[in-house]
Amino acid sequence: MHAESTASPAAGLSRRSMLAGAAVVAGTAATLSASAASAARAAEARPAGTATAPAAADRITEQPDRTGGHARATVFKNVRPYGAKRPVDLTVVDGVITADPAPRGAKVVDCKGRIALPTLVDAHIHPDKTAWGEPWVTRNPASTIAEYTEEDVKLYHALRTPLEKRAERLMGHAVTQGTRAMRAHVDVAPAYDLVGVEGVGSARRALRHALDVEIVAFPQHGVVRTPGTEELLEEAARTEAIDRVGGIDPIGFDEALDEQLDIVFGIADRHGVGVDIHLHERAATGLESLRAIIDRTRALSLQGKVTVSHVFCVPGLPERELDGLAADLADAGISLTTVAPSSDLVLPIDRLREHGVHVGLGSDGVRDSWSPFGNADMLHRAHLLAWVRDARLDEELEAAFRSGADGGARLLGLPEADLKPGSPADFLLVRGECLPQVVVDLPRREMVVRGGRIVARDGELVGR
């Protein structure tokens, strides 16, 4: 699709300035990943290899479950949790890892010494906009949010595959790469009505065996500046089609701080849904909006139900100001998400967590009208987070992974999948030496397990 350009030459809030070079990083990361895979194929015997075509004797094998229809039990043999030196067996009964002996006749999966890692959570993604799997899209110049939204509408009308199929394709791909859950931001505007909410809802139902999905009704075109949007947000919440209601730059885009937030928080309060607001505003403008969000969260007792995404006004704050703001966010139970766009826009995750603020990691747009980049691979996103934070030490690389796994789980209220007894049996299997090396080399996901069931193998969904 090559829509007619509507961009203005004036400088504005461009995708490039907002993401600040993430595309370059992503391209470099992809090159690193390809190089790592190539090197591994050339040295298959090396323990750290990431070969894509193992010999038959080295393939993961399965034996059937013969428990006679009682407890659903599987033993994943020869697994190395987090890259442990010695393999162990993970016994799973009814979707939960247990320290008890396996029931007689349990299914056995020989994992051949692969590393097991918890599957990850995509805390911020836009699956309704994607052209993933479609013919190549030629994008037009755009530099403001208003211009990008015009391009969104053109792409929506140009793509021939129904939205629900495109969303399901992308969300299914995310599963094959090791995503266990996601928060999906779906455009709601008169230009689309509620087609996006319905389409992503359909994809959620189709993938419910493999993926937890929260849906946010996202007013990308503005809540106040686009008449009819408020009514659509209200309807989406009233019909229980969504889990959260969104907002966007109340001052910088909607130019109606109090009116927008009154509408968004009013809908949340009336219908018992959460809130997740895109906040690209920077400096004093962003802080004014963020303070207003904190005030309304407290006033309506919505602690634990409000998230602010991107929050570009937080990075770079002086220490004392950051500590005070973080304490207020924690007190109000407000969580934050980042997509790790650049070193100057990524959230100070460690400092925020010290104050008790939950921070999730997301992949944002995937091959949409805003950008040709993105792949819905949260292990790759953890790699990008490590990259923009200039990680060198093993603990820094591991922390980037934990942001995509544990941080996202806390954000969505899911139990952490820590591979210990009592943990949900949600994990992926890869070849490698250790967790830090996996974050750097991005090996192929050979298997993805959800609740003890194998849901993906070698990049393909299985077991529907």
Side-chain angles (χ1 to χ4, degrees):
M1 168 263 190
H2 188 172
E4 188 176 332
S5 172
T6 58
S8 71
L13 182 60
S14 71
R15 180 67 167 182
R16 181 174 299 275
S17 66
M18 287 164 57
L19 298 187
V24 175
V25 175
T28 306
T31 302
L32 288 172
S33 177
S35 299
S38 175
R41 285 193 293 272
E44 173 112 7
R46 189 179 62 182
T50 54
T52 57
D58 196 32
R59 293 190 184 118
I60 297 171
T61 57
E62 299 174 54
Q63 297 174 10
D65 187 333
R66 297 188 178 87
T67 54
H70 300 295
R72 179 166 56 87
T74 304
V75 179
F76 293 88
K77 295 180 63 68
N78 298 319
V79 171
R80 294 165 51 221
Y82 297 101
K85 296 297 184 185
R86 293 173 179 254
V88 299
D89 296 347
L90 293 181
T91 299
V92 179
V93 177
D94 289 337
V96 177
I97 296 173
T98 179
D100 297 333
R104 185 175 179 180
K107 179 178 180 178
V108 176
V109 180
D110 189 349
C111 299
K112 305 289 185 179
R114 304 297 193 267
I115 291 178
L117 298 174
T119 42
L120 299 104
V121 174
D122 194 330
H124 187 105
I125 186 172
H126 295 265
D128 61 314
K129 296 175 183 280
T130 191
W132 180 268
E134 298 294 295
W136 180 253
V137 172
T138 299
R139 290 156 184 85
N140 298 307
S143 61
T144 66
I145 291 177
E147 290 171 354
Y148 280 115
T149 60
E150 290 179 10
E151 294 303 312
D152 283 339
V153 175
K154 292 175 184 177
L155 181 60
Y156 169 75
H157 288 297
L159 294 173
R160 295 293 173 252
T161 303
L163 185 151
E164 68 222 48
K165 296 300 181 185
R166 290 186 283 110
E168 183 180 340
R169 178 197 293 155
L170 180 67
M171 292 157 67
H173 168 74
V175 171
T176 70
Q177 301 309 298
T179 294
R180 67 186 280 225
M182 63 173 53
R183 181 175 289 172
H185 292 258
V186 181
D187 279 15
V188 169
Y192 314 109
D193 199 69
L194 295 177
V195 170
V197 169
E198 293 161 359
V200 174
S202 173
R204 171 167 65 177
R205 290 188 295 274
L207 294 166
R208 61 185 176 275
H209 68 291
L211 185 68
D212 285 322
V213 181
E214 279 190 2
I215 297 177
V216 182
F218 173 45
Q220 174 77 80
H221 295 196
V223 177
V224 176
R225 67 183 283 151
T226 304
T229 300
E230 177 183 353
E231 291 77 11
L232 289 172
L233 295 174
E234 186 85 42
E235 181 182 352
R238 179 182 56 79
T239 58
E240 301 183 348
I242 61 169
D243 304 284
R244 291 178 178 258
V245 60
I248 180 170
D249 295 348
I251 299 172
F253 184 58
D254 235 359
E255 299 180 344
L257 173 64
D258 291 330
E259 188 176 357
Q260 183 193 123
L261 295 184
D262 285 348
I263 290 170
V264 170
F265 277 84
I267 291 171
D269 187 44
R270 283 192 296 278
H271 299 288
V273 297
V275 173
D276 193 326
I277 295 178
H278 282 58
L279 193 62
H280 310 103
E281 298 166 349
R282 306 195 193 184
T285 301
L287 290 173
E288 183 181 354
S289 292
L290 189 54
R291 287 290 180 189
I293 291 168
I294 293 171
D295 291 344
R296 281 167 174 77
T297 302
R298 287 171 167 161
L300 293 173
S301 299
L302 290 176
Q303 288 88 343
K305 299 188 70 174
V306 176
T307 300
V308 187
S309 293
H310 303 308
V311 214
F312 292 158
C313 59
V314 170
L317 283 177
E319 256 186 37
R320 180 173 296 181
E321 189 174 357
L322 174 60
D323 288 342
L325 179 62
D328 288 341
L329 289 167
D331 179 68
I334 294 174
S335 56
L336 308 179
T337 65
T338 184
V339 299
S342 66
S343 59
D344 61 326
L345 292 180
V346 68
L347 290 173
I349 297 173
D350 298 337
R351 194 65 174 239
L352 290 165
R353 284 183 176 164
E354 286 177 8
H355 289 275
V357 180
H358 295 325
V359 182
L361 180 65
S363 60
D364 208 10
V366 179
R367 207 163 295 184
D368 55 19
S369 69
W370 290 59
S371 171
F373 293 94
N375 56 14
D377 180 347
M378 283 305 297
L379 184 57
H380 180 241
R381 186 57 54 167
H383 173 114
L384 289 178
L385 175 61
W387 178 286
V388 301
R389 296 180 71 188
D390 196 25
R392 288 184 59 252
L393 306 179
D394 282 4
E395 54 265 35
E396 294 170 335
L397 293 165
E398 291 175 8
F401 178 85
R402 297 287 188 179
S403 292
D406 304 343
R410 294 186 195 108
L411 193 83
L412 268 68
L414 300 172
E416 291 180 25
D418 60 8
L419 307 181
K420 296 178 181 178
S423 162
D426 296 346
F427 57 90
L428 57 90
L429 294 177
V430 294
R431 292 179 175 229
E433 293 182 72
C434 57
L435 174 53
Q437 178 254 332
V438 168
V439 171
V440 170
D441 283 352
L442 301 175
R444 176 171 57 96
R445 287 3 82 85
E446 297 192 23
M447 180 181 288
V448 180
V449 177
R450 159 71 184 269
R453 294 182 184 272
I454 299 168
V455 294
R457 276 181 171 278
D458 297 323
E460 299 291 336
L461 290 173
V462 297
R464 291 206 192 201

